[in-house]
Amino acid sequence: MVNLLDSKTVLITGSQGLLGRTYVDTVIDNGGKVIACDISGFDEIENDAKPYLVSKKYKNLVYYLCDITNESNVKKMFNNLGKLNFLPNSLINNAARNPKLENIDNKKGFFRLENFSLEEFKLDLEVSLIGSFLCSKYLYINAIKNNISKINIINISSDLGIISPDQRLYSKDELNPNNDDPVKPISYSICKHGIHGLTKYLATYDPLKMRSNTLYPGGVYTNQNTEFLERINRRIPLSKMAERNSYKGAIKFLLGDESSYMTGSQLVIDGGRTTW
């Protein structure tokens, strides 16, 4: 088997999430090295003195516990990765906070604009935008310092980084939503639209050393309730949500040499939802 990513060492944030895990698998399966980074989800190292652990199953995989909203933590992570010979030349900015509104009872309208707290708003921006900025910053700093010739950044957005959330998907009555119904919070839209601004800035900052693109995945099927599935499938031309593995090919393409002439661009894979 040809290892298409054998020259890649990829830092993946939000690696313990639904799609983050598939991104890790994609790089490993194609011969690359991975730093699986998250703020939680690593039972074997959360109580350890060190924030990292080399996988016992894969020698090309390191689990790293890091708060990417904290600059000193990010800087320390890159220093440690250099010592481990896992200094990344690629980055997938995947970490985000994303409430699954179709699965919760939100009678008090917590996420509605008129009730949404400044604290929650800041937390969402810190993870999605500040965390992505800090990881990109230190990827670039370490590429300069260690003479890494080319680096590659993939920023993960959403179909809701192109269109506005259709709040009727989450309402108790699709035709007559009311002010008690759950909604996608305003911070989610801002983060998912804003991440492409980071992509374009990075793509033009030092284009011979760094390229950057945005992936826009659609919603993923995770056994949502029947009513929600009926509503969302009517809004997708392919009449179905994505599967967990639907984006493996896109990640392989964006990380690999096949996309070497692509930068500052948008790759939309959403079943056609944003065409309406």
Side-chain angles (χ1 to χ4, degrees):
M1 186 178 94
V2 178
N3 291 324
L4 299 177
L5 303 178
D6 56 2
S7 64
K8 310 299 179 184
T9 301
V10 188
L11 173 63
I12 303 175
T13 68
S15 65
Q16 297 306 100
L18 178 70
L19 291 181
R21 292 173 186 266
T22 71
Y23 302 157
V24 171
D25 292 343
T26 299
V27 179
I28 294 294
D29 291 344
N30 287 277
K33 298 170 72 174
V34 173
I35 304 100
C37 170
D38 214 311
I39 196 170
S40 63
F42 304 120
D43 294 337
E44 60 271 51
I45 60 174
E46 284 184 340
N47 297 315
D48 204 334
K50 293 188 298 186
Y52 56 85
L53 178 71
V54 178
S55 170
K56 296 176 181 177
K57 184 177 180 181
Y58 300 107
K59 292 182 179 179
N60 54 343
L61 172 61
V62 169
Y63 299 107
Y64 205 107
L65 195 67
C66 183
D67 177 1
I68 61 170
T69 70
N70 184 306
E71 184 164 12
S72 63
N73 287 359
V74 175
K75 183 177 181 179
K76 183 178 180 180
M77 175 173 65
F78 275 86
N79 288 338
N80 285 333
L81 292 174
K83 296 173 186 176
L84 287 171
N85 196 30
F86 266 80
L87 196 62
N89 55 24
S90 301
L91 167 65
I92 301 177
N93 282 315
N94 173 64
R97 300 174 82 227
N98 181 17
K100 304 300 179 185
L101 301 182
E102 62 273 13
N103 295 329
I104 67 173
D105 183 8
N106 187 31
K107 292 181 179 178
K108 294 183 179 179
F110 175 78
F111 293 113
R112 296 189 67 86
L113 176 63
E114 59 271 28
N115 300 326
F116 197 57
S117 72
L118 179 59
E119 289 74 19
E120 287 292 321
F121 183 88
K122 286 180 177 178
L123 281 172
D124 289 344
L125 268 64
E126 284 176 355
V127 175
S128 290
L129 299 182
I130 293 177
S132 296
F133 152 66
L134 289 174
C135 289
S136 302
K137 172 182 175 178
Y138 282 94
L139 181 75
Y140 182 74
I141 287 172
N142 282 276
I144 298 294
K145 186 190 303 182
N146 294 279
N147 295 314
I148 297 174
S149 60
K150 293 183 180 180
I151 57 176
N152 185 1
I153 298 172
I154 302 171
N155 292 315
I156 305 297
S157 182
S158 161
D159 52 3
L160 300 185
I162 296 174
I163 58 176
S164 174
D166 188 339
Q167 310 295 7
R168 294 170 298 178
L169 286 171
Y170 317 108
S171 68
K172 300 162 197 164
D173 182 344
E174 183 180 9
L175 298 179
N176 298 292
N178 61 67
N179 60 10
D180 289 326
D181 287 335
V183 296
K184 276 281 188 183
I186 186 172
S187 52
Y188 189 82
S189 283
I190 290 173
C191 291
K192 292 307 182 183
H193 279 79
I195 198 73
H196 189 58
L198 177 63
T199 288
K200 291 192 287 186
Y201 184 94
L202 296 173
T204 56
Y205 184 75
D206 189 353
L208 297 183
K209 177 170 282 290
M210 175 168 51
R211 67 187 184 94
S212 179
N213 293 287
T214 305
L215 174 63
Y216 292 80
V220 178
Y221 173 70
T222 54
N223 297 309
Q224 290 92 341
N225 65 68
T226 301
E227 183 178 11
F228 175 82
L229 289 172
E230 289 176 351
R231 290 180 182 183
I232 195 168
N233 288 344
R234 290 199 301 269
R235 292 163 168 85
I236 301 173
L238 291 184
S239 299
K240 62 179 182 179
M241 299 184 75
E243 299 293 335
R244 286 186 67 237
N245 294 329
S246 295
Y247 304 107
K248 283 188 168 184
I251 292 296
K252 184 167 63 173
F253 169 71
L254 290 171
L255 286 174
D257 293 338
E258 295 89 345
S259 64
S260 61
Y261 194 59
M262 180 179 178
T263 194
S265 295
Q266 300 165 286
L267 180 56
V268 183
I269 304 178
D270 64 351
R273 184 180 176 193
T274 58
T275 58
W276 277 340

